[in-house]
Amino acid sequence: MSKGLFISFEGTEGCGKSTQVELLVQRLRALGYCVRKHREPGGTPIGEEIRHTLKHSQHNHAMTAETELLLMNASRAQLVREIIRPALAAGEIIVCDRFYDSTTAYQGYGRQLDLEKVKAVIEFAVGETKPDLTLFVHVPPEVSAERLRSRQENLPFVRDRIEEADRKFFERVARGFGVIAAAEPQRVKFINGAQPIETVCAAIWEHVQPVLPKLGRW
Ligand code: Z5A
């Protein structure tokens, strides 16, 4: 049985997940915990190549929703076996920027693939390896759009195929995250991301602190 702790972050783009992942990892390391930070898709050499194919490759325009689903989960299957399981077995903390709830939200609700088939693919990719705690960072679409716009102004343009989807796609994704959070309130904690960074960080810590004593005792 795993002795470590697996925490995932979820939410729509621009909700502030990556900012909060970094703050949480820094805080846990400062307290002496052994923590690994990963992102999905990606996190392993194979996963990072899949990430490039999914997001930035010049040849990915024709990618079907089914291919997208399988590539997301190919990257995940590799991350789970190469990194997450060994780290959990060694008693470490894994903090992951997105995990399988993103597949349910984006490929299930967003791309409108059959939810039962999506679930079966996820289960094949992860097996028994599931997050102990998921922080769902929620912001209204206008906050997300404004943050992405201001970040874009400060970065060179990088093509991202998934971000090219239309508004209705992102509305379905947001609705999907809401359904997921409501279905599993024990695991998935709702965080109001439309607050100052320090306030969001404190709200996240309220959920992380109580699970830390369970490390090594699952
Ligand atoms: N995807 C999928 O379809 N299926 C799957 O199974 C998986 C993923 C795993 C990954 O993109 C894409 O893959 C994603 C879902 C899909 N696609 N889309 N679209 P990614 O990894 O490149 O990016 P992301 O996960 O979508 O996140 P992001 O765009 O990088 O944003 P974020 O991590 O949520 O936010 P952030 O980078 O922390 O913050 C955004 C900006 O807001 C930044 O300038 C911050 O300084 C600022 N910020 C953050 N917090 C605040 C607060 N509280 N106030 C004000 N400003 C803030």
Side-chain angles (χ1 to χ4, degrees):
M1 186 175 286
S2 118
K3 298 179 292 179
L5 182 64
F6 183 7
I7 301 172
S8 63
F9 278 72
E10 298 283 1
T12 51
E13 35 296 311
C15 68
K17 291 176 290 81
S18 309
T19 303
Q20 296 299 330
V21 163
E22 183 56 34
L23 290 172
L24 177 62
V25 167
Q26 282 174 16
R27 186 167 190 168
L28 290 169
R29 284 184 180 151
L31 290 170
Y33 291 100
C34 190
V35 188
R36 286 173 190 249
K37 180 179 89 159
H38 287 284
R39 68 173 180 184
E40 279 209 328
T44 64
I46 290 171
E48 290 298 322
E49 288 191 9
I50 294 172
R51 179 182 176 92
H52 174 75
T53 301
L54 279 160
K55 284 172 59 98
H56 302 301
S57 159
Q58 290 182 357
H59 310 288
N60 66 12
H61 284 279
M63 188 179 294
T64 69
E66 290 79 3
T67 305
E68 187 176 275
L69 169 70
L70 293 169
L71 286 177
M72 292 290 177
N73 283 279
S75 170
R76 179 167 302 133
Q78 188 68 29
L79 182 67
V80 163
R81 287 156 186 81
E82 186 176 328
I83 307 275
I84 297 180
R85 285 183 188 165
L88 293 177
E92 296 176 12
I93 302 178
I94 291 277
V95 180
C96 203
D97 194 340
R98 297 194 181 279
F99 199 57
Y100 59 62
D101 295 317
S102 284
T103 299
T104 307
Y106 283 83
Q107 282 66 55
Y109 286 86
R111 300 287 189 219
Q112 298 180 295
L113 291 175
D114 182 287
L115 287 172
E116 283 305 312
K117 288 184 179 150
V118 169
K119 191 173 168 202
V121 172
I122 290 172
E123 283 181 359
F124 183 61
V126 304
E128 295 298 305
T129 306
K130 299 182 176 172
D132 302 300
L133 173 67
T134 296
L135 287 320
F136 167 42
V137 183
H138 174 78
V139 294
E142 57 278 11
V143 172
S144 166
E146 172 54 27
R147 287 188 191 165
L148 292 177
R149 194 191 53 73
S150 70
R151 185 175 63 179
Q152 199 67 40
E153 281 173 4
N154 301 316
L155 288 175
F157 176 74
V158 184
R159 181 178 118 72
D160 179 337
R161 184 187 55 86
I162 300 170
E163 286 174 359
E164 289 167 1
D166 63 16
R167 188 173 52 82
K168 290 217 172 312
F169 169 84
F170 290 105
E171 286 172 2
R172 290 194 298 273
V173 169
R175 188 166 53 81
F177 275 125
V179 174
I180 293 164
E184 281 190 75
Q186 279 292 103
R187 173 178 68 88
V188 185
K189 304 300 178 190
F190 181 94
I191 304 290
N192 177 3
Q195 308 177 88
I197 289 175
E198 304 70 34
T199 311
V200 179
C201 186
I204 287 169
W205 190 245
E206 290 292 304
H207 292 290
V208 172
Q209 205 173 17
V211 297
L212 292 174
K214 292 183 183 170
L215 258 177
R217 294 198 281 110
W218 293 105

